[in-house]
C-alpha cells in the first residue's frame, strides 16, 4: 500500500499567521477559559492556578514597566534637547569624522540652532554644518571684539 504524498506534512499549505507575543488580555482570556471548562470532578490544582496567576501578575508588571520606561526615555530626550538649547550662540569645538566613521580631526563653529531628529539632538552651525550633539568636544563663550568708535 502506497501513501499519497500530498498527505505529507511538508506538502501541506501553511496559512498560519505569525502571532506576536501573548499579551495580558489574551493570557487572562486563556486562564478564564481554562477555569470555565475544567472538569468539576477533577478541578485544577491550586498550585498550578497560583503559578498561572503569578505569571499573569509578572506579565502585567513587565508591560507597565515597559510603558514607564518609554515615558522616562521620552522625558530624558526632551530634557537633553532643552539642555542643548543653551549652546545657541556659543562657540564649540567638535569632532569631524570621515566617510568611514574614522576620526578626522576637529573644527570649530558657532551654534545657530538646535533640533530634535528621531532620538538625536542635532546642532546647526553658522557655517551650515549639521552635527550630532555627541560630537561636541569643547564649549567656549564667544569672544566679542571691542570696537573703537573714537570716543
Amino acid at each position: 500500500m502506497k501513501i499519497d504524498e500530498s498527505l505529507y506534512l511538508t506538502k501541506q499549505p501553511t496559512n498560519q499567521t505569525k502571532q506576536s507575543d501573548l499579551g495580558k488580555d489574551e493570557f487572562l482570556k486563556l486562564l478564564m477559559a481554562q477555569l470555565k471548562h475544567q472538569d468539576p470532578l477533577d478541578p485544577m490544582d491550586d498550585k498550578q492556578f497560583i503559578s498561572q496567576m503569578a505569571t499573569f501578575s509578572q506579565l502585567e508588571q513587565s508591560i507597565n514597566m515597559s510603558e514607564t520606561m518609554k515615558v522616562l526615555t521620552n522625558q530624558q530626550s526632551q530634557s537633553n534637547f532643552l539642555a542643548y538649547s543653551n549652546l545657541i550662540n556659543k562657540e564649540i569645538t567638535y569632532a569631524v569624522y570621515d566617510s568611514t566613521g574614522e576620526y578626522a580631526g576637529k573644527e570649530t563653529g558657532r551654534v545657530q540652532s538646535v533640533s530634535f531628529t528621531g532620538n538625536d539632538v542635532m546642532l546647526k552651525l553658522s557655517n551650515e554644518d549639521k552635527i550630532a550633539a555627541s560630537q561636541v568636544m569643547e564649549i567656549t563663550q564667544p569672544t566679542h571684539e571691542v570696537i573703537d568708535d573714537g570716543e
Side-chain angles (χ1 to χ4, degrees), residues 16-27:
Q16 298 175 348
T17 57
K18 185 174 181 176
Q19 189 71 351
S20 61
D21 296 335
L22 183 67
K24 66 181 181 179
D25 292 336
E26 292 81 12
F27 186 87

Side-chain angles (χ1 to χ4, degrees), residues 1-94:
M1 179 171 129
K2 185 175 179 186
I3 299 175
D4 184 8
E5 290 185 17
S6 67
L7 297 175
Y8 291 155
L9 287 177
T10 56
K11 303 285 186 187
Q12 297 300 314
T14 56
N15 48 348
Q16 298 175 348
T17 57
K18 185 174 181 176
Q19 189 71 351
S20 61
D21 296 335
L22 183 67
K24 66 181 181 179
D25 292 336
E26 292 81 12
F27 186 87
L28 190 57
K29 286 177 186 175
L30 184 63
L31 184 62
M32 294 307 294
Q34 187 178 7
L35 287 172
K36 186 177 180 180
H37 298 295
Q38 69 179 336
D39 183 2
L41 300 175
D42 185 23
M44 184 189 305
D45 184 22
D46 289 347
K47 291 177 186 172
Q48 184 183 11
F49 180 73
I50 291 171
S51 172
Q52 289 178 348
M53 288 305 294
T55 302
F56 175 72
S57 177
Q58 288 174 341
L59 173 67
E60 190 171 30
Q61 288 175 1
S62 294
I63 291 170
N64 291 343
M65 184 175 292
S66 175
E67 291 171 0
T68 301
M69 289 302 291
K70 285 178 187 175
V71 169
L72 181 63
T73 302
N74 190 13
Q75 288 175 345
Q76 183 64 38
S77 296
Q78 291 296 325
S79 177
N80 286 344
F81 176 68
L82 294 174
Y84 281 112
S85 68
N86 289 325
L87 293 178
I88 295 175
N89 288 326
K90 299 263 173 80
E91 292 285 332
I92 62 166
T93 302
Y94 58 97

Side-chain angles (χ1 to χ4, degrees), residues 139-151:
I139 304 166
T140 56
Q141 193 68 22
T143 56
H144 297 286
E145 293 181 21
V146 176
I147 300 175
D148 186 12
D149 59 0
E151 289 183 31

Side-chain angles (χ1 to χ4, degrees), residues 129-142:
D129 282 350
K130 284 188 177 182
I131 64 165
S134 60
Q135 292 177 252
V136 175
M137 300 169 69
E138 182 179 8
I139 304 166
T140 56
Q141 193 68 22

